Amino acid sequence: MADWHPISGGITAPKGYKAAGIAAGLKPSGALDLALIYSEMEAIAAGVFTTSQVRAACVDYCRQRLESKLSARAILCNSGQANAATGRQGTEDALESAQLLAQNLGIAPESVLLASTGVIGQRIPMDALRNAMPTLAGSISEAGGEEAAHAILTTDLVPKTIALETTIGGRSVRIGGMAKGSGMIHPNMATMLAFVTCDAAVSPHLWQDMVARSADKSFNQVTVDGDTSTNDTLLAFANGQSRTPAIKENSPEASKLEEMLTATCQHLAKAIARDGEGATCLLEIQVQGAADDAAARQIARTIAGSSLVKSAVFGRDPNWGRIAAAAGRAGIAFDANYLQIQLGEFLLMDNGQPLEFDREAASEYMQQAARGEYLQNDTVCIQVRVGNGPGEGMAWGCDLSYDYVKINAEYTT
């Protein structure tokens, strides 16, 4: 049983954090489009970024900042323009954005990190950003997390937030998180932004290691459509304001904190997959029996990312052959004579042999998972066993509907 519990407050639930979200005029719709996360004191900062060779200016900016300074106080995120593939001017816009926020907050520019999301090839409307910066800086509060979570959205249907609390060293420790993502979602990372705040005291290198490992078990295990982006960013702060003793590597306290961090990231990752463009249900792939966890995660990712599997789920077709084929092409060696496939409670294949099952009932299981109310009974679970090894892993995705094509066919028009 998890040694933590959910609490309210989202990104500002941990001690020492404030946030804000405003409508700066970056989106033609007039929706909230500029977000700020702020730590009242310098926080240890860690990041995981897209592996794409075409990167947004904010990604290169953050990577360079974190190479020289493993701490920060603020994250500025604009929504509507990716500021990717915008050349030298895009880089200059990013630098000016950090400087403007620093001036308005009274902090060093080196303490500002950046994120952007929106249409690739579009610069940030700097006049609007300049005019909005005093309002944004003046709006931060402990209650500002909800507005900030809305301000980072693009095609998302819902904001994605979480906060968890545990006890370490006799003191309360909290982690808060928020994320956005709905399309162009695939491992390494995905078209997603995720921000995490924590009030534990952790060394810079231990925090970076924790964040990277948590990303591997969450954001790098989620797929919607097989496309990664230019802007994928996970930024995480730890400011030490819980006043716990410093958490040391290979300690029970470190294990507990990392497990809670992973749970936070997995919640956000599943929320992204659940909100996939055009999706009607969440798809969870559980793989066991592989040689190691990395192999199991690879098989799970391949199944979750299969267009044929995703289409079958949308059609409520229990076509287990597509699952077997996806597992077989994952690039992981296993003996097909041990292959077992289960859909919900329906065992479809065992020891490499197809089984008789109630196809109508299995189809109804997937139909029932089709989204009714957000976060309620909307998960299609596929369990796969490939042998007797100790490796296990999970991945998350969604079905592939007609609406996905419609949304992306008209994205810029």
Side-chain angles (χ1 to χ4, degrees), residues 283 285 302-304 306-329 339-344 346-349 354-355 357-367 380-384:
L283 184 58
I285 312 299
T302 304
I303 297 171
S306 166
S307 294
L308 290 177
V309 172
K310 291 155 62 67
S311 298
V313 172
F314 176 66
R316 321 308 176 206
D317 179 9
N319 187 346
W320 59 263
R322 293 181 175 182
I323 300 169
R329 66 174 174 83
L339 185 61
Q340 181 186 88
I341 299 173
Q342 184 167 326
L343 173 67
F346 301 94
L347 189 61
L348 313 181
M349 167 179 268
L355 302 177
F357 66 95
D358 187 335
R359 297 186 65 87
E360 185 174 339
S363 179
E364 178 62 22
Y365 162 72
M366 290 187 283
Q367 182 62 48
V380 171
C381 183
I382 295 174
Q383 299 168 287
V384 175

Side-chain angles (χ1 to χ4, degrees), residues 285-291 296 299-300 303 323-324 327-328 332-343 347-353 382-393:
I285 312 299
Q286 303 173 0
V287 174
Q288 296 179 318
I299 295 171
I303 297 171
I323 300 169
I332 301 298
F334 65 86
D335 189 341
N337 291 316
Y338 288 99
L339 185 61
Q340 181 186 88
I341 299 173
Q342 184 167 326
L343 173 67
L347 189 61
L348 313 181
M349 167 179 268
D350 194 24
N351 290 321
Q353 297 296 313
I382 295 174
Q383 299 168 287
V384 175
R385 176 171 286 278
V386 295
N388 297 314
E392 57 185 33

Side-chain angles (χ1 to χ4, degrees), residues 9 15 61-62 70 87 90-91 144 190 196 239 244 310 373 405-406:
K15 293 180 181 178
Y61 170 90
C62 286
L70 295 176
T91 300
V196 172
N239 67 8
T244 60
K310 291 155 62 67
E373 294 185 13
V405 176
K406 180 177 175 58

Side-chain angles (χ1 to χ4, degrees), residues 53 56 83 106 127 176 180 205 212 219 262 267 308 330 335 339 369 410:
Q53 295 302 302
N83 198 24
D127 285 343
K180 66 84 51 182
H205 294 291
F219 300 117
T262 299
H267 174 93
L308 290 177
D335 189 341
L339 185 61
E410 302 171 352

